[in-house]
Amino acid sequence: MNISTYTVKPKLPLVLKPLEEIARNLWLSWNYDAVQLFIRLDYDCWLGSQQSPIRTLGMVSQERLAQTAKDDSYLAALNVIYERFQRYKKGETWYKSNHRARSSQDVIAYFSMEYGMDASLPIYSGGLGILSGDHMKTSSDIGLPLVGIGFLYRQGYFKQMLNADGFQQESYPENDWYNMPVERRNGKDGQPLKITVDLAGRQAIAQIWEVKVGRSSLFLLDTNIEENTQDIRNITAALYGGDKETRMQQEILLGIGGIRALRALGINPAATHMNEGHAAFLGLERTREIMTEKNFTFDEAREAVWPSNIFTTHTPVPAGNERFDIPMMDKYFRSWPQVLGISWKDFLGLGRVDANDERETFCMTVLALKMAAYANGVAKLHGVVSREMWQGLWPGLPLDEIPIGHVTNGVHPRTWISSGMLNLLDRYFGPHFEDKPTELKIWERMDRISDEELWRTHERRRDRLVAFVRERVREQYKRTGAMERRIRQAEDVLSPYALTICFARRFATYKRGNLLLRDPERLLRLVRDNDRPIQLIFAGKAHPHDMPGKDLIRDIIHFAEKYDVSNRIVFVENYDMNVAKYLTSGGDVWLNTPRRPMEASGTSGMKAAMNGVLNCSILDGWWDEAYNPEVGWAIGHGEQYIDEKLQDDIESKSLYDLLEREIIPMFYDRGRDGLPREWIKMMKDCMKEIGQSMSSHRMLMDYSNQFYFPALKNYRRFSKDDYAEAKSLAAYFSKLHQAWGSLKIVKVESNAKPVMQRGDTLNVIAYLDLGSISTNELQVELYHGALSSQTSNITDARKAEMKWLKSEGNLNLYQVRVECVDTGMQGHTVRILPKHEALIHPYRCGLIKWA
């Protein structure tokens, strides 16, 4: 069948033309006034479009458009918002005010498998995608030279439906890209820009789409084109769909194809940020590029790109890190050692903790860690967990020096604070809250807001949440064929006045969505209390193959049915950004119950907190560092258990105790004016603290100062003089690796006595046999501090560089003097690390020598 194709666009009157530009930029996803323009056009079309501005324009009748073009009130609102949009795009930013890139083409390229921007662009599944979306929006706000790379999924993530028994079922609706805020990028010839990657000897071709995100751009790769065979077209069919081989193909396309796409667009990825290990193959592609361009060795090219690679890990358990079996690697990468000029064993060693262990599979996280100068976890606790997990990559290096830091996640305030609450904050915080989002101290103005205004605003949000849930439950009952009497009961689901506790996240067993159900009698007493009732709203998807996760959902629904409390314990199906916005703004308490330390960060509680919804959570992820008694409640004290059943029993009882003794009494303790003054004070303190500490603007400033700006500076430095410093560094490490085995710390002498007085000077001399290494090529340190009584290791160590003293025969003497400051049992030793003026940090795999 020969089908001719063409695209039909809405015919907008000239005065309404700005609507199309606004609709095609996700700036509107965090500007509710802009969204209102499309709702005002035709509310029924807005609902029918599933809240897609572009589709709404296509659904509104020409008669309605002509009518609106004569509506002076509408046109006035459109002009105000369009002017604000233009002012935003051209305005001064934090980046422009503080930093200037050398070239507009030198950018930070941010790679992620998913992006949660807006309900109208369903290319996300959960927390990783929402974080990526907030990352892109915030980079626009602060004017960072950053672009995103991802996939244009034909189906996105699945739509969740629950059958009459409460069992999760999935459907995979096709995305209609021509009615979504994406635009295909064309070359100078007017034809779609395309790139190719090799997949086990077959060429996969991908075209490139662009999503405008305020000032920033997100580029999405798409293999669903006629030139490809069906299996290659399916690479970008579904997010996290297919088998292990599909995942391999996706990760080759993301990492290698992503770099090639930027080149095709004329963009230079001067620094690259791998958001999780999925994009780690980009390190190989960047290395190959320089080898080809400069005729470098692998080691020289790697040293050229290593200083400008950044890697963020999100996984706190070893099993969660992507691994590929060696036969799979052999199929897709057998030609790469020849391209890189290294052996097959050395190539596989790039993805192994122990490069010599031929039984070890190839790990994407290991590849990313070995190819990046900068690495981080996504919360302070997660940084600790990550250093423990990957300590084997740096044998002999103390845990606190493992080069994996942390940048705690944040959320984009104007996306996640409800419109009603945002209007209140804008009124009291002033224009800088929108115009200068990096001025986080503005949250201190929470005290200006009266208790009455804050509480009434919150109550309206709870009213809207209850109305929304009733409508969703009614639709759910209709779809599952419930009796008319049952459908009418949806009108009475939940109360707009009861204490509302929300639990919404991915339904994985470690998140323990059923923890509150462990003592039915105790829970039912709280739910059925006529004077001080609580009500529970659950939402979240289980992975399609996660049967225990699906069972958790069914357990909650069966519990509500069994005890006849379906009007007070509700599960809302198909959790997405739209549902999340209702829950995080309309609940009273946000519940989070993971098994510590398995929650890397989490961000839903941050969104709730910025809306004045108080967190009650296990001390895990972000809450471990954000909690204090003035802003919410902690379940337990951060204990970790070996016996999971014991842990569940203890922590569920702790949760019941908190509800009965603190949360419920505080919520219902009202003054004569009907206001819960103590609760409102906690709301204000919570919004004030979390608004500052967990804003994505703080997160992006942290990334910029710790990683992005140093990486861009490294790129400029290392690319100078034909990458001279990279070549020098590669030669240095080649020499070091050859000579390291013969390096010896022959003896260490000191004036230490069994008992030293505080203020005494400790004099230490080390005798080193350096072999062929010169004295200026090594850093010799005294490593000293308190001794642990349990492990006899030095804790809270201090480092003092030892200075070369003299030569004695073939030995070099180094000396240092330090003052005895701390009392108690102290210890010291000597170690040697690499030293080179071009080093980003001295902690390179296998290069540390201890006395």
Side-chain angles (χ1 to χ4, degrees):
M1 185 184 297
N2 187 12
I3 300 176
S4 300
T5 62
Y6 45 88
T7 304
V8 178
K9 291 189 174 182
K11 186 179 179 182
L12 294 177
L14 190 61
V15 291
L16 298 183
K17 282 289 184 185
L19 281 174
E20 186 163 14
E21 187 181 344
I22 293 170
R24 291 194 172 277
N25 193 308
L26 286 176
W27 173 83
L28 66 74
S29 69
W30 70 91
N31 286 273
Y32 188 68
D33 288 349
V35 174
Q36 281 285 92
L37 291 174
F38 298 90
I39 296 174
R40 282 180 66 180
L41 267 181
D42 190 312
Y43 184 63
D44 289 335
C45 288
W46 172 253
L47 291 181
S49 75
Q50 296 179 316
Q51 303 186 14
S52 167
I54 293 173
R55 191 178 286 118
T56 297
L57 290 180
M59 293 172 66
V60 175
S61 68
Q62 289 300 135
E63 291 78 12
R64 174 59 184 154
L65 290 173
Q67 185 183 19
T68 305
K70 298 174 184 175
D71 184 338
D72 57 351
S73 168
Y74 186 91
L75 295 179
L78 172 59
N79 290 335
V80 166
I81 289 161
Y82 188 62
E83 284 174 17
R84 199 170 91 218
F85 175 47
Q86 296 302 322
R87 201 163 57 244
Y88 173 87
K89 288 198 294 183
K90 297 170 185 173
E92 189 69 10
T93 65
W94 175 78
Y95 179 76
K96 281 184 185 176
S97 301
N98 295 279
H99 307 274
R100 301 272 178 185
R102 185 182 65 174
S103 164
S104 60
Q105 297 305 307
D106 290 347
V107 304
I108 306 141
Y110 178 83
F111 289 70
S112 184
M113 282 283 272
E114 51 175 302
Y115 291 86
M117 300 281 195
D118 187 63
S120 67
L121 189 66
I123 55 170
Y124 64 94
S125 69
L128 183 75
I130 300 300
L131 176 75
S132 301
D134 283 2
H135 201 104
M136 291 299 303
K137 293 174 185 178
T138 310
S139 77
S140 167
D141 282 348
I142 68 177
L144 272 182
L146 181 145
V147 299
I149 297 289
F151 288 151
L152 189 84
Y153 294 106
R154 196 170 75 233
Q155 295 177 331
Y157 206 48
F158 68 88
K159 182 177 179 181
Q160 179 195 49
M161 298 171 293
L162 302 180
N163 67 15
D165 188 46
F167 187 75
Q168 173 183 297
Q169 297 174 315
E170 300 86 26
S171 68
Y172 296 85
E174 296 275 328
N175 289 323
D176 175 11
W177 298 121
Y178 298 94
N179 278 309
M180 291 185 178
V182 297
E183 191 167 340
R184 189 163 48 197
R185 287 297 301 262
N186 295 329
K188 292 178 182 177
D189 59 359
Q191 295 302 307
L193 273 180
K194 293 175 182 174
I195 58 98
T196 62
V197 293
D198 179 82
L199 297 177
R202 302 165 67 204
Q203 295 301 302
I205 305 169
Q207 59 185 356
I208 307 165
W209 298 73
E210 181 178 9
V211 179
K212 293 191 181 300
V213 188
R215 302 178 178 98
S216 300
S217 288
L218 166 64
F219 297 105
L220 302 174
L221 301 178
D222 170 26
T223 60
N224 185 31
I225 53 179
E226 289 182 358
E227 293 98 313
N228 290 324
T229 58
Q230 189 58 52
D231 61 325
I232 290 177
R233 294 180 72 160
N234 287 340
I235 292 173
T236 56
L239 175 59
Y240 305 134
D243 55 16
K244 199 72 173 175
E245 188 150 10
T246 303
R247 179 64 68 90
M248 168 65 88
Q249 294 168 345
Q250 287 182 331
E251 297 188 0
I252 291 172
L253 181 63
L254 180 65
I256 297 172
I259 294 290
R260 293 178 185 177
L262 292 172
R263 298 290 183 211
L265 291 160
I267 295 170
N268 178 36
T272 55
H273 184 176
M274 297 167 270
N275 189 41
E276 197 50 285
H278 306 126
F281 291 135
L282 71 81
L284 302 179
E285 175 65 6
R286 292 189 75 197
T287 303
R288 183 201 63 78
E289 281 185 332
I290 291 183
M291 290 180 68
T292 303
E293 180 187 342
K294 301 295 180 184
N295 199 28
F296 278 11
T297 66
F298 172 75
D299 289 335
E300 290 169 339
R302 182 163 69 160
E303 293 302 336
V305 301
W306 183 81
S308 57
N309 282 339
I310 302 140
F311 169 57
T312 297
T313 176
H314 292 261
T315 310
V317 290
N321 292 273
E322 187 84 69
R323 288 184 176 274
F324 292 111
D325 292 335
I326 302 309
M328 182 78 75
M329 291 300 299
D330 185 78
K331 178 176 179 179
Y332 284 91
F333 283 94
R334 194 53 164 169
S335 63
W336 271 79
Q338 185 176 354
V339 170
L340 300 176
I342 59 177
S343 70
W344 178 239
K345 180 184 177 184
D346 287 345
F347 179 82
L348 292 178
L350 295 170
R352 287 169 165 165
V353 175
D354 181 354
N356 295 313
D357 183 359
E358 297 189 359
R359 296 168 301 172
E360 191 178 337
T361 54
F362 190 94
C363 179
M364 295 296 284
T365 304
V366 173
L367 176 63
L369 287 167
K370 288 188 176 183
M371 296 300 289
Y374 304 101
N376 70 284
V378 288
K380 186 176 181 180
L381 177 61
H382 183 233
V384 174
V385 171
S386 298
R387 287 190 288 278
E388 290 173 349
M389 275 177 63
W390 301 112
Q391 191 174 12
L393 283 171
W394 294 271
L397 193 63
L399 192 62
D400 62 345
E401 291 183 289
I402 299 296
I404 302 175
H406 80 275
V407 173
T408 301
N409 285 343
V411 297
H412 188 252
R414 300 194 83 83
T415 293
W416 295 105
I417 298 173
S418 70
S419 57
M421 187 65 75
L422 204 52
N423 289 338
L424 180 66
L425 299 183
D426 279 336
R427 201 159 72 243
Y428 281 93
F429 288 7
H432 279 191
F433 185 47
E434 179 176 6
D435 299 338
K436 297 186 177 179
T438 55
E439 293 186 6
L440 299 172
K441 287 289 182 187
I442 208 157
W443 283 92
E444 299 289 339
R445 297 184 181 182
M446 276 304 304
D447 294 330
R448 297 182 180 185
I449 302 173
S450 71
D451 289 358
E452 290 82 359
E453 280 191 282
L454 182 61
W455 187 246
R456 300 307 172 215
T457 301
H458 177 64
E459 285 192 313
R460 284 193 293 274
R461 296 309 309 166
R462 195 188 316 115
D463 285 347
R464 291 195 64 180
L465 170 61
V466 170
F468 170 77
V469 172
R470 286 174 176 173
E471 179 61 31
R472 291 296 286 263
V473 171
R474 187 186 303 114
E475 291 174 5
Q476 200 168 316
Y477 286 165
K478 284 181 179 177
R479 186 179 47 74
T480 55
M483 296 175 65
E484 188 62 34
R485 179 178 59 84
R486 173 80 167 180
I487 295 170
R488 284 197 303 271
Q489 286 175 351
E491 301 288 348
D492 194 38
V493 162
L494 304 179
S495 162
Y497 311 106
L499 171 62
T500 304
I501 300 171
C502 296
F503 179 100
R505 51 195 29 86
R506 181 166 59 90
F507 263 75
T509 51
Y510 79 87
K511 292 177 184 280
R512 298 187 297 181
N514 60 348
L515 190 67
L516 201 49
L517 311 184
R518 287 186 72 82
D519 188 338
E521 185 180 338
R522 205 167 174 184
L523 176 59
L524 292 169
R525 192 162 60 242
L526 300 178
V527 170
R528 291 170 173 163
D529 189 315
N530 290 326
D531 298 322
R532 296 184 164 192
I534 68 169
Q535 55 193 14
L536 309 175
I537 304 176
F538 293 90
K541 297 176 178 178
H543 188 278
H545 304 307
D546 182 5
M547 297 309 293
K550 291 184 177 184
D551 288 341
L552 281 181
I553 295 172
R554 188 161 54 178
D555 288 348
I556 291 166
I557 292 166
H558 282 196
F559 182 96
E561 295 283 352
K562 178 180 178 180
Y563 294 105
D564 195 23
V565 286
S566 296
N567 62 336
R568 290 294 175 262
I569 299 178
V570 179
F571 193 99
V572 179
E573 66 181 5
N574 202 38
Y575 185 47
D576 61 6
M577 288 184 74
N578 185 42
V579 175
K581 288 180 179 181
Y582 278 100
L583 295 177
T584 54
S585 65
D588 298 301
V589 174
W590 194 260
L591 184 62
N592 186 33
T593 54
R595 287 196 179 93
R596 176 184 164 113
M598 296 181 71
E599 189 79 83
S601 172
T603 57
S604 59
M606 302 174 189
K607 299 159 194 162
M610 288 186 194
N611 280 287
V613 178
L614 302 178
N615 276 264
C616 177
S617 174
I618 299 291
L619 288 171
D620 198 9
W622 76 280
W623 191 239
D624 181 67
E625 65 196 83
Y627 165 73
N628 73 64
E630 281 73 47
V631 302
W633 296 274
I635 304 168
H637 303 283
E639 306 92 341
Q640 291 174 212
Y641 299 79
I642 296 173
D643 185 334
E644 290 184 353
K645 184 178 182 303
L646 176 65
Q647 180 179 5
D648 293 350
D649 286 340
I650 291 173
E651 290 177 344
S652 65
K653 287 172 182 173
S654 177
L655 174 54
Y656 292 126
D657 288 343
L658 280 173
L659 287 168
E660 292 167 352
R661 297 174 188 175
E662 297 186 36
I663 298 173
I664 294 172
M666 187 190 294
F667 180 83
Y668 284 107
D669 186 9
R670 310 291 171 99
R672 292 169 65 181
D673 54 7
L675 298 178
R677 296 280 180 180
E678 193 179 351
W679 188 278
I680 295 169
K681 181 182 184 307
M682 189 178 273
M683 286 175 67
K684 286 184 176 180
D685 289 343
C686 173
M687 294 173 76
K688 187 193 306 181
E689 288 198 29
I690 305 306
Q692 294 179 70
S693 64
M694 297 301 157
S695 162
S696 56
H697 298 91
R698 184 274 310 152
M699 175 182 76
L700 259 290
M701 287 190 289
D702 283 353
Y703 271 114
S704 298
N705 291 321
Q706 292 183 42
F707 305 139
Y708 291 164
F709 298 153
L712 287 172
K713 184 179 178 182
N714 293 342
Y715 170 79
R716 291 191 285 270
R717 174 183 170 185
F718 277 78
S719 59
K720 269 196 327 187
D721 302 325
D722 213 26
Y723 294 95
E725 279 202 309
K727 292 184 78 170
S728 169
L729 204 52
Y732 166 72
F733 277 121
S734 176
K735 176 182 177 181
L736 221 55
H737 280 294
Q738 289 174 23
W740 199 259
S742 58
L743 186 65
K744 293 184 181 68
I745 302 174
V746 177
K747 64 176 176 177
V748 178
E749 294 179 344
S750 77
N751 66 338
K753 297 176 291 189
V755 177
M756 303 280 282
Q757 300 293 318
R758 178 186 280 161
D760 285 352
T761 297
L762 177 70
N763 181 37
V764 181
I765 298 175
Y767 295 76
L768 275 58
D769 181 352
L770 303 183
S772 60
I773 307 174
S774 59
T775 56
N776 64 345
E777 293 178 317
L778 295 170
Q779 180 158 311
V780 183
E781 292 180 341
L782 180 72
Y783 187 86
H784 62 108
L787 277 182
S788 165
S789 59
Q790 287 186 318
T791 62
S792 297
N793 290 330
I794 294 173
T795 60
D796 299 321
R798 294 189 176 97
K799 282 93 69 178
E801 186 172 356
M802 303 182 76
K803 301 297 184 184
W804 182 82
L805 185 63
K806 61 180 180 178
S807 296
E808 285 186 2
N810 65 336
L811 297 182
N812 283 273
L813 278 63
Y814 284 77
Q815 181 183 38
V816 71
R817 292 185 175 92
V818 294
E819 183 183 350
C820 295
V821 176
D822 298 323
T823 60
M825 183 64 73
Q826 302 288 306
H828 67 262
T829 187
V830 172
R831 69 180 187 179
I832 305 174
L833 292 164
K835 184 179 183 180
H836 190 285
E837 61 180 6
L839 275 178
I840 309 304
H841 61 71
Y843 308 123
R844 300 296 281 261
C845 301
L847 294 177
I848 185 169
K849 182 83 70 173
W850 293 89

